[in-house]
Amino acid sequence: MPNLSISYRQRAFVMFLCLVACLVPFLAWGADDEDTLGFYNDWQEEASTASRSPKPLSQTAENVTVVTSTEIEALNAHTLADVLDTIPGIQVQHNGGPGVTAYTYIQSINFIFTQVYVDGVSITNLSSGFSDVSLIPARIIDRIEIVKGAASSAWGQSLGGVINVITKSPAQRVLGGVAGASIGSRATTGDSLELTGTSGRTGYYLSGGFLGSSGLLSNTQDAINNAYGKLTFELPKHGSLWGTFFYSHANMGDLFAPAYDLKELGSKSYLLGSIGLRYPLTDKLEMEASAHHTYNRDDESYFDISDGAPWTLQPGLPTAIIKELQSGGSIKLTWRGDNNLLVAGSEYNHLEEYNNSIDGSTVSPFGQRVDRWGLFLNDTVIIGPVAVTPGVRLDHTQTAGDQFSPALGATWQLSDSTLLRAYTARGYGLSILGPTDTPPVKIWTTQVGAESKAVPYLWLKGTLFRNQTWNDSVGQQVALGTEFEVRTTPVYHTSLAAGYTFTETTKAGYEVNDLPRHTVQLALRYDDKTYRGVLTGRHIFWNAQPSENGSYDGLIWDLHLGATLYRHEDNSLEVFFSGHNLFNGSQYETNIIPNTPRWYEGGIKVGF
């Protein structure tokens, strides 16, 4: 049986957070705190990922979470993976410290069915089917929009959900930027520089950085260089052009498995480029067109731990070299009427994969080229306090036949403080692009939920979901679950948040192991614009097979602090500190890949 015990110190922390939650309404009763402004206007915030065009969250039937740049900066995050650790309904499995490969589950659905996009461009690996959320540096992110549950009617093969990273836009001044540096345990360092500005109609955002470590776990050393750029141009009358570029190169250790006398070293390179045009055709009709190209190369080498012998038939060469290329484009029309939002579009992608395995024991060398296209249509019809959101998409996958993905949802704003949501959809997921065609996994998902601010100084959100997945070759499984979130109004710059997700997955009446069952996230936040602090706690019960020797030791607590020592107009000086896994807890699915022990880091940022 797994160890679910919580230490005395951890129980004390939980009791303290619960006490704060109880006191918040009483403290707020007499408080006149400007932090409360906007707390009751969250539903009017717009998100574009669910329907692929911006609309208020009050008209979005899907279960959507939005993370802002302010929330990201408060976490002193290195990568997207660090941010996702704190989001209710999401479980992240790390292979090591910051920058090392991480796997993301949404509502306990297998990580290979989580689709991650950067400004609408997929970063999913063709050969493995997963999206590495440690690839994306946190500093370039303006906001993250997450759709939990099937989103195939808008995005195609997104059975588990969509994480859409929206990058920063140029600042509205000629020149500005941020320079930062950090250092921590085991020579974990991060250095970065951002430059941004606008001159006339042209804007730019440029960023480069390094992230490295000697390894917080055995054989998880890494050295990562990355660069990002965005150029925008406002057309003379209306409309805009943009182009983006992203490059990352990493050398790292990905695996250390003494039980198998095995370790892995790898070299990874990733390149993404995109261009786009947004142009209003009439007062109500807008066109958007874009094109993109990505290149991914992964060199993998395996070695015996005992004698260092490489697993290869040709000494000196990697065990496997995987190259992937994606080229494509999309065009979309958006009609904004008085009472409806209609979005229609099409996408095309040309995919190439080359796998050169030379150890004689894994995949035989092969190459494959695939052309895929999709057509989608969705609408948001507003009838008084009700918004109805039908959607449909048709995809030609070439390797897994044609896929039809319908969806229907609705929101009902019962009052200024209470909103109901319901959503049902069919979707699909493609696992890998390999030498043989793999049947798609299909899903029928149904979610119902409510959000309320009726309780003074509290925001509550609850969702019930049923995910029925099936595949012609492996049969059917059903996941029943619930997701609950609570957040307090900031009082004297302090707020509390908590999230809990429960999922029970069964197949033919028997429980399915190796999928997360319980997930808890807690956060205590303080921010007075000079000093800030975030204390987060998380627990994931992975429900692994006993033979995996998993560990579930209470909660993993992280503390992130920051202080602005100087601020004048656009110039600032900030210092920050983070303590990770404060109580040195053990929490992992398998002892082959344990979580990182306690470690610390600190740094400085200069804004100009």
Side-chain angles (χ1 to χ4, degrees), residues 574-588:
E574 177 186 330
V575 294
F576 59 88
F577 168 85
S578 289
H580 303 268
N581 194 1
L582 296 175
F583 299 113
N584 205 30
S586 298
Q587 191 178 119
Y588 45 82

Side-chain angles (χ1 to χ4, degrees), residues 30 294 326 427 447 487 493 544:
T294 67
Q326 300 187 52
Q447 303 196 28
R487 189 172 72 237
H493 315 293

Side-chain angles (χ1 to χ4, degrees), residues 352-576:
E352 297 184 25
E353 179 189 354
Y354 304 95
N355 187 320
N356 182 21
S357 177
I358 58 177
D359 69 341
S361 63
T362 57
V363 179
S364 299
F366 74 92
Q368 189 170 13
R369 297 183 179 184
V370 172
D371 293 295
R372 293 174 175 163
W373 54 261
L375 303 172
F376 60 90
L377 175 68
N378 64 72
D379 199 3
T380 302
V381 181
I382 303 170
I383 308 170
V386 176
V388 181
T389 58
V392 66
R393 177 167 172 139
L394 175 65
D395 283 288
H396 173 72
T397 68
Q398 186 172 327
T399 58
D402 295 338
Q403 302 298 322
F404 180 68
S405 306
L408 179 63
T411 64
W412 181 12
Q413 190 152 352
L414 292 177
S415 66
D416 292 340
S417 60
T418 303
L419 179 74
L420 302 181
R421 286 191 171 92
Y423 177 72
T424 186
R426 175 172 171 158
Y428 73 98
L430 303 177
S431 55
I432 63 172
L433 186 64
T436 59
D437 293 344
T438 303
V441 177
K442 300 179 182 180
I443 187 172
W444 195 276
T445 184
T446 300
Q447 303 196 28
V448 294
E451 294 183 46
S452 180
K453 302 164 186 172
V455 179
Y457 313 108
L458 290 178
W459 171 83
L460 304 170
K461 178 180 179 181
T463 303
L464 299 175
F465 57 87
R466 181 183 188 273
N467 295 324
Q468 177 182 338
T469 57
W470 70 94
N471 179 286
D472 294 338
S473 61
V474 299
Q476 175 181 285
Q477 66 183 32
V478 176
L480 300 175
T482 182
E483 182 183 310
F484 180 74
E485 298 178 62
V486 59
R487 189 172 72 237
T488 67
T489 306
V491 178
Y492 301 118
H493 315 293
T494 305
S495 64
L496 179 69
Y500 172 70
T501 307
F502 169 79
T503 307
E504 182 178 55
T505 305
T506 59
K507 181 177 180 180
Y510 295 94
E511 185 180 37
V512 177
N513 293 105
D514 301 315
L515 293 175
R517 185 175 175 86
H518 301 279
T519 308
V520 177
Q521 280 114 342
L522 302 174
L524 179 64
R525 299 184 174 95
Y526 176 86
D527 188 355
D528 65 3
K529 309 306 180 184
T530 299
Y531 300 100
R532 58 175 172 80
V534 181
L535 175 67
T536 65
R538 67 183 182 277
H539 171 85
I540 303 175
F541 174 62
W542 290 98
N543 197 28
Q545 296 279 0
S547 60
E548 297 289 342
N549 297 314
S551 179
Y552 310 99
D553 183 18
L555 287 89
I556 302 297
W557 294 96
D558 298 331
L559 177 64
H560 308 285
L561 303 174
T564 302
L565 305 181
Y566 172 81
R567 185 188 303 276
H568 178 69
E569 296 182 347
D570 296 322
N571 301 314
S572 63
L573 174 63
E574 177 186 330
V575 294
F576 59 88

Side-chain angles (χ1 to χ4, degrees), residues 3-42:
N3 178 17
L4 298 177
S5 63
I6 301 178
S7 70
Y8 170 79
R9 288 176 295 179
Q10 292 172 332
R11 287 198 300 269
F13 260 114
V14 174
M15 293 175 63
F16 170 72
L17 293 178
C18 293
L19 177 62
V20 173
C22 294
L23 291 176
V24 162
F26 298 99
L27 292 173
W29 185 260
D32 182 14
D33 195 325
E34 64 179 7
D35 286 344
T36 62
L37 297 177
F39 183 76
Y40 294 99
N41 298 320
D42 289 347

Side-chain angles (χ1 to χ4, degrees), residues 224-261:
I224 306 169
N225 293 282
N226 54 60
Y228 179 83
K230 176 187 286 186
L231 295 176
T232 63
F233 180 76
E234 299 297 323
L235 298 175
K237 293 185 178 180
H238 42 240
S240 60
L241 297 168
W242 73 87
T244 68
F245 171 84
F246 175 65
Y247 174 75
S248 176
H249 178 78
N251 293 307
M252 68 175 62
D254 258 354
L255 180 65
F256 183 80
Y260 301 97
D261 193 28

